[in-house]
Every structure is written in C-alpha cells, then in structure tokens.
Amino acid sequence: MFLCVILLSLASSCGRGFVKKKTPTTTTEQESQEVDTFHLNQDYLGLVNDHRIKLGLTPLTYHSYIEEVAKSHSFSMAIRSKPFGHLGFSSRCRRLKNRLGSINYCGEIVAMKQKDIRSVFQAWLDSPEHRQEIENPFSSHTGLGIAKDDKGNIYWTQMFVDLR
C-alpha cells in the first residue's frame, strides 16, 4: 500500500489498464495506448482452451515471448507504421524461431475494433480461416498481443507456434 501511494504521487496513477505510450515519428508525435495484457491473456487463453478441449484438441500453452512478438505487431498497426494485416509475418516467425529454437509451425490471426476478448474470439470463430488457426492441432503455444490506437480502436494479434 505504501509503495502504491509513493508511485501514485510520482506517476499520478496506480493501477492496471490502458497506458499511454508516445512514439516519435519523423514529423510529429503520435499517441498510442498499449494495453496491459496479463489478465486479458489469461482470460482469453481460457476461452481458446475451453473451445479446443470441447473439440478434443490439446490446450495451448501461453508463452510471454510469443505475446511480446504479437504485441509488437498490434502496436505497429496501432501507430500505423504497418497496415492492418499480416505484413511482416515471416519476420515475426523468424524472430520467434531465433529466440525459441526449433519451431514446427507458426501461424497468426489479426483483428481490429472489437472491444473485448469475447467479441474478438467470436469474430475469429465466425471466420473459417481464423477458426482453422484457433483449432489447428499442430499449435502448442500461443500469445495474444493487443494495442490501442489514438482513436480508441483496438488491434489484436494472436500468434500460434508448435514447440513440440
């Protein structure tokens, strides 16, 4: 409690949620809001794994580095340094392979503007291509990256890998 009071007086904020992060550009500074995803990732992983278990699939294991790579892509889309989509996907997979070693599979799904994890999960399930990625039996690990742009739009990236 004492530490929180000290941090409160220093930062004028003590708690979780959206944190503003400024990113310099060549002509101006754009604001983007990065999302604290620890609890969101755990809740989302529960949704995904409940779905996979109902289908007889192996549950996915959360991996913080996969989340970090997914979050960097969501952040890039939120600050508009990359267009919405999968530009740079092979580079993200290479980055994961360089850090995690042998990867037998790498996949990714993206979304934007859904306001919460249930909405994005349902949107992905409603899309045959995205559902296929969520239900891929060759995936063993995952991470969800979330970032918010200066207009309040949320960018979602989920990456899947097989580390078995």
Side-chain angles (χ1 to χ4, degrees), residues 107-127:
E108 172 183 87
I109 54 180
V110 297
M112 66 181 281
K113 296 188 180 180
Q114 289 81 5
K115 299 293 183 196
D116 57 54
I117 58 171
R118 290 192 184 280
S119 299
V120 75
F121 182 62
Q122 191 58 56
W124 280 333
L125 286 182
D126 291 342
S127 162

Side-chain angles (χ1 to χ4, degrees), residues 37-57:
T37 59
F38 178 77
H39 291 102
L40 289 175
N41 256 286
Q42 297 308 310
D43 293 345
Y44 181 78
L45 185 63
L47 290 174
V48 170
N49 283 338
D50 286 348
H51 178 77
R52 288 175 62 90
I53 289 167
K54 286 177 188 171
L55 298 174
L57 297 168

